[in-house]
């Protein structure tokens, strides 16, 4: 059962020839959630063999171009490919205006519905929820630009029934739902069978948090506490901490401090400034604070296994 | 003295992981003219080491997204790089609305002027002219979508003076302009010196024509007659001639027929449909009609030498 993140773009505002602007896709049980959509995202989706038609939900953190300029092209390509499924876009309300203005002036008729969901940006907001997953947004700190982080959390699934034991105790079907939810079972003879004898636990729910663009902002720590995987921007190195502060970005060390305080499983750093070709200093600086750090470079894939 | 075309993107509407959507840059004497600007153009400019700051004129053939979706990102990057030079954009007037709407709603202040020039599209129109070069647009045939081809032509430069001969005949400065323009010279002693003794010819002016997107449209032949280099779209193969006609595109064979009728120096074919990975059939089909044909694939460079 997959819970797998693919990095499509890892650079900050000015792309390089090797690193595209921000975009990622999270595969949760073969549903593909697109997070940010910088210019060239559709090209990266092809390159890294992501099944585009299985993307139904797109989350845009904020309206700097390097996080959404690829969206109009992706929508156009969906249309050319004959898409009919609804496409849900979660973003600041201005994005709907930008996209619809272009579709209207070019008289583009889409064969599918575009459904925009406004991210208010001032508090934690549940954007998506179904039986298996919730996606929430929470505010980051990126100057005057409203900017949202995203938290993807699997739900705790009910316990698994042990069929042989149910048969052994002749437990009727109507009692089974309660047992899945943790009830013990009282037989007709009055024997109490402990739930642990009848079931075993489902996998631990997995979680991913995406935090870009943002200055160092410890207020997010309780929100992302103990996520399995945290992506946090690390545009600069600590030598440039002043510049990071004035541009509302983070250093690699600050990203690692957030990871440490939040006790996450693994930290991924990205959104690198275009002037860095070699990223080993970013990695080392973060690892000094939080050892389980990796670079989130274009094409890298990070899986969280069921445990 | 350069006259050199670099292909930045060669694919039709749906990009592949190997071929970007349409964009090219023509280097004329170290001035870089950008022709179309599909998504990812700025990434390709970086990849192929084109000096972005030397692009002052951008020509957009038509308003299908694969020909202009990279423009807003390029403008944003110019702004981030601190550009101050005016940027001229030649396109259908709707493009100005699309770009300005986005800049306005995002409250983006540019440090340079964007100057839009409307291409009317119904006749030959001179878009740019200086001492060395003219750029004209001319109508192509792309269904209901107004679409322009572009013709880049160097001007015939005046003849070069042979300094030693001018000294020998003691020709005064005031006579020299006429001699550059082809005049003979009459000495004070009444001797007529033929211009060919005093000058040699400047290089032959070079020319490039860009024709995409278009159905087979022989009316362009007189306009592009005898250009050194012709780029003509070849979205399909002749097996798909009906489909080419109904979508207002051309086959490789049709592109070659235009090249042959126009007696061009070399034909480049591009704008390939995404379903073709191997392009040898396109090349062979065109070569059967017009031998001096090459594929215009991403990163290819075509120079026209001074002769």
């Amino acid at each position: 059962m997959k819970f797998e993140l693919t990095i499509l773009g890892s650079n900050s505002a000015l792309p390089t020839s090797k690193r595209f602007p921000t975009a990622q896709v999270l595969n949760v049980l073969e549903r593909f959630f697109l997070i940010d959509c910088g210019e060239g995202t559709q090209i990266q989706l092809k390159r890294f063999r992501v099944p585009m038609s299985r993307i139904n939900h797109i989350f845009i953190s904020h309206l700097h171009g390097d996080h959404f300029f690829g969206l109009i092209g992706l929508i156009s390509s969906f249309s050319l490919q004959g898409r009919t499924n609804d496409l849900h876009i979660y973003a600041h309300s201005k994005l709907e205006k930008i996209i619809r203005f272009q579709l209207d002036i070019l008289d583009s008729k889409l064969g599918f519905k575009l459904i925009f969901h406004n991210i208010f940006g001032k508090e934690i907001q549940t954007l998506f929820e179904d039986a298996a997953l919730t996606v929430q947004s929470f505010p980051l700190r990126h100057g005057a630009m409203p900017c949202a982080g995203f938290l993807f959390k699997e739900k705790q699934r009910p316990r698994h029934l042990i069929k042989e034991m149910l048969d052994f105790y002749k437990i009727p079907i109507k009692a089974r739902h309660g047992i899945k939810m943790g009830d013990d079972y009282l037989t007709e003879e009055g024997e109490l069978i402990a739930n642990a004898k009848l079931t075993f636990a489902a996998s631990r729910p997995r979680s991913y948090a995406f935090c870009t663009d943002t200055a160092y902002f410890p207020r997010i720590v309780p929100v992302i506490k103990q996520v399995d995987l945290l992506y946090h921007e690390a545009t600069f190195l600590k030598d440039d901490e002043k510049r990071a502060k004035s541009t509302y970005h983070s250093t690699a060390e600050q990203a690692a401090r957030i990871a440490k305080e939040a006790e996450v499983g693994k930290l991924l750093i990205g959104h690198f400034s275009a002037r860095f070709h070699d990223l080993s200093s970013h990695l080392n600086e973060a690892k000094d604070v939080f050892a389980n750090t990796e670079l989130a470079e274009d094409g890298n894939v990070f899986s969280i296994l069921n445990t």
Side-chain angles (χ1 to χ4, degrees), chain A:
Chain A
M1 303 289 264
K2 283 218 171 151
F3 194 97
E4 183 176 276
L5 181 73
T6 300
I7 308 300
L8 304 170
S10 61
N11 213 66
S12 62
L14 289 169
T16 70
S17 63
K18 302 238 171 73
R19 297 194 305 256
F20 277 57
T22 302
Q24 309 187 344
V25 68
L26 183 68
N27 173 351
V28 183
L29 315 175
E30 299 308 319
R31 291 180 305 171
F32 292 79
F33 296 89
L34 185 64
I35 309 166
D36 278 354
C37 189
E39 184 176 350
T41 293
Q42 61 171 323
I43 293 164
Q44 299 291 74
L45 288 168
K46 292 254 171 72
R47 178 174 293 160
F48 302 126
R49 299 177 183 281
V50 178
M52 283 170 59
S53 63
R54 302 189 77 162
I55 295 172
N56 295 321
H57 299 273
I58 301 178
F59 301 85
I60 303 292
S61 61
H62 67 297
L63 298 192
H64 282 143
D66 55 318
H67 296 259
F68 79 89
F69 280 160
L71 187 59
I72 183 73
L74 184 62
I75 290 170
S76 298
S77 290
F78 278 146
S79 185
L80 287 166
Q81 289 166 338
R83 180 189 179 103
T84 54
N85 282 352
D86 293 353
L87 182 65
H88 293 267
I89 299 170
Y90 306 82
H92 190 282
S93 59
K94 284 182 178 175
L95 186 59
E96 176 166 12
K97 294 196 175 106
I98 290 169
I99 297 295
R100 296 216 188 271
F101 182 86
Q102 292 183 78
L103 295 174
D104 288 349
I105 197 168
L106 299 173
D107 203 21
S108 301
K109 305 272 182 276
L110 303 179
F112 58 95
K113 257 201 244 175
L114 272 186
I115 301 165
F116 283 86
H117 304 265
N118 186 21
I119 299 178
F120 295 91
K122 290 195 179 147
E123 49 198 40
I124 297 174
Q125 185 181 345
T126 297
L127 303 178
F128 172 88
E129 181 164 18
D130 69 4
L133 185 79
T134 59
V135 186
Q136 295 178 305
S137 66
F138 54 91
L140 297 174
R141 186 160 176 233
H142 197 41
M145 171 64 71
C147 185
F150 298 114
L151 176 62
F152 293 78
K153 272 170 100 165
E154 282 187 316
K155 289 189 177 170
Q156 178 65 61
R157 274 171 291 172
R159 298 176 67 83
H160 296 291
L161 300 173
I162 303 170
K163 189 172 178 308
E164 293 73 12
M165 298 305 285
L166 302 185
D167 291 347
F168 181 82
Y169 288 107
K170 298 188 176 60
I171 298 176
I173 286 172
K174 66 177 181 188
R176 293 185 183 188
H177 177 73
I179 294 171
K180 273 175 89 74
M181 304 319 275
D183 293 352
D184 298 329
Y185 180 68
L186 190 65
T187 64
E188 286 184 12
E189 296 76 23
E191 184 186 0
L192 189 71
I193 314 295
N195 186 276
K197 266 184 132 171
L198 303 172
T199 67
F200 62 94
S203 311
R204 193 180 55 79
R206 294 163 292 185
S207 53
Y208 171 57
F210 172 87
C211 300
T212 195
D213 295 358
T214 188
Y216 176 66
F217 192 42
R219 273 171 53 188
I220 65 177
V221 167
V223 182
I224 63 172
K225 196 85 182 175
Q226 293 180 340
V227 293
D228 294 292
L229 196 60
L230 166 65
Y231 176 90
H232 195 289
E233 73 133 284
T235 310
F236 297 110
L237 293 171
K238 66 182 163 191
D239 287 352
D240 266 332
E241 199 169 306
K242 273 193 187 162
R243 180 151 179 225
K245 192 173 180 186
S246 69
T247 57
Y248 296 94
H249 286 295
S250 299
T251 67
E253 186 203 34
Q254 289 172 331
R257 276 161 56 197
I258 295 288
K260 188 177 179 187
E261 290 163 41
E263 301 166 1
V264 308
K266 183 195 283 288
L267 169 64
L268 307 177
I269 53 174
H271 199 266
F272 306 111
S273 166
R275 64 195 158 98
F276 299 106
H277 296 287
D278 175 5
L279 299 170
S280 57
S281 298
H282 285 74
L283 186 60
N284 292 335
E285 186 176 302
K287 281 189 163 204
D288 281 350
V289 176
F290 187 81
N292 194 9
T293 300
E294 292 194 42
L295 298 172
E297 293 186 274
D298 299 24
N300 288 356
V301 176
F302 302 94
S303 278
I304 309 175
L305 300 177
N306 268 328
T307 51

